[in-house]
Amino acid sequence: MASPFSWPVWCPPRFALRRRLTLALGHKDQHMTDQINTGSLIDWVAIGVAGLALAAACWQAREARAQAAITRAHNKITTLPMLVQHEDWDLRDEGLVLRLSLRNVGMGVALVKDRYFTYEKRRFIPQKQGRVVQELADLLFKNFIPFRVLGTSMFGEKAKIPPGTSITLISILFHNPHPELQEVVEGLASKASFEVEYESVYSEQFRFSTND
C-alpha cells in the first residue's frame, strides 16, 4: 500500500496560483541578486585595475623625473669650465721674459660676462682705449725696472673660451737678466690682478683672479 505522503498534493486553484507566483517571484529575486553581486564584483575589479594603472603611471613619472635629474647633473658636470693662469718665465741674454696665459682646463665652454684689470684692488680704467696693459705696466714697473711690452691679447667681454684653449694675456721683457729678478717682478705685480667673471652653459657663475 502506497504511503499517503507520496500522494500528489492537491491545492485549491486559488492557493495553487499563489504558490506558483511565490515560486516565480523567489526565482526572480534570486536572479536579480545574482546580477547585483556580479555587477558589484565587476565594479570592484574595474576600480582595482584603475588603481594599479594609476600607481604604475605615478611610478613611471617618478622614475622619469629621477632620470631627468641624473641626466641634468651629469650634463652640468661635463660642461663645467675652469679658468686657470699659467706663468712662463724665460731668462734670456737681454733680460727676463714673462708670459701670462689664461687657460680653460675644464670640460665645458666658459661664457665670459666681464673681464678687467685691477690696480690696488680697484678696477683699472686706462686713460686711452686699447692701452690698458701698457698703462698698468707703467704704474707697476716704470720707476723700478726697465721693461718693454712685447704683446697682449685681450678677449671680448662676451667671449666664449672653449675647453683646452690657452690665451696669452701679457708678454713683457724686463731688461735685466738677473736670476732674482723674478721675485722682484712678482712683488711689484702683486698690486694688480686680472679678473674674469664667467659662467657655464647652465648659467652657473664662476670667478677667476690672478691673485687667487
Side-chain angles (χ1 to χ4, degrees), residues 83 100 102 110-119 122-126 128-133 136 152-161 167-170 193-199 206-210:
L83 298 182
L100 178 63
L102 182 70
L111 306 177
V112 178
K113 296 302 178 182
D114 196 8
R115 85 285 181 270
Y116 52 89
F117 285 94
T118 67
Y119 179 71
R122 295 182 179 181
R123 186 168 184 145
F124 180 72
I125 301 176
K128 293 184 179 180
Q129 199 70 16
R131 286 179 51 85
V132 58
V133 174
L136 183 58
T152 63
S153 179
M154 183 61 64
F155 49 87
E157 293 182 358
K158 306 300 179 182
K160 298 179 180 180
I161 305 177
I167 302 173
T168 301
L169 301 173
I170 305 172
S193 70
F194 182 65
E195 311 283 332
V196 182
E197 298 174 6
Y198 64 102
E199 63 183 28
F206 305 92
R207 187 182 187 90
F208 163 83
S209 175
T210 54

Side-chain angles (χ1 to χ4, degrees), residues 177-209:
H178 197 283
E180 297 181 359
L181 182 60
Q182 178 178 340
E183 184 177 351
V184 176
V185 171
E186 290 177 340
L188 295 173
S190 63
K191 293 182 179 181
S193 70
F194 182 65
E195 311 283 332
V196 182
E197 298 174 6
Y198 64 102
E199 63 183 28
S200 70
V201 294
Y202 282 91
S203 299
E204 295 175 293
Q205 298 182 354
F206 305 92
R207 187 182 187 90
F208 163 83
S209 175

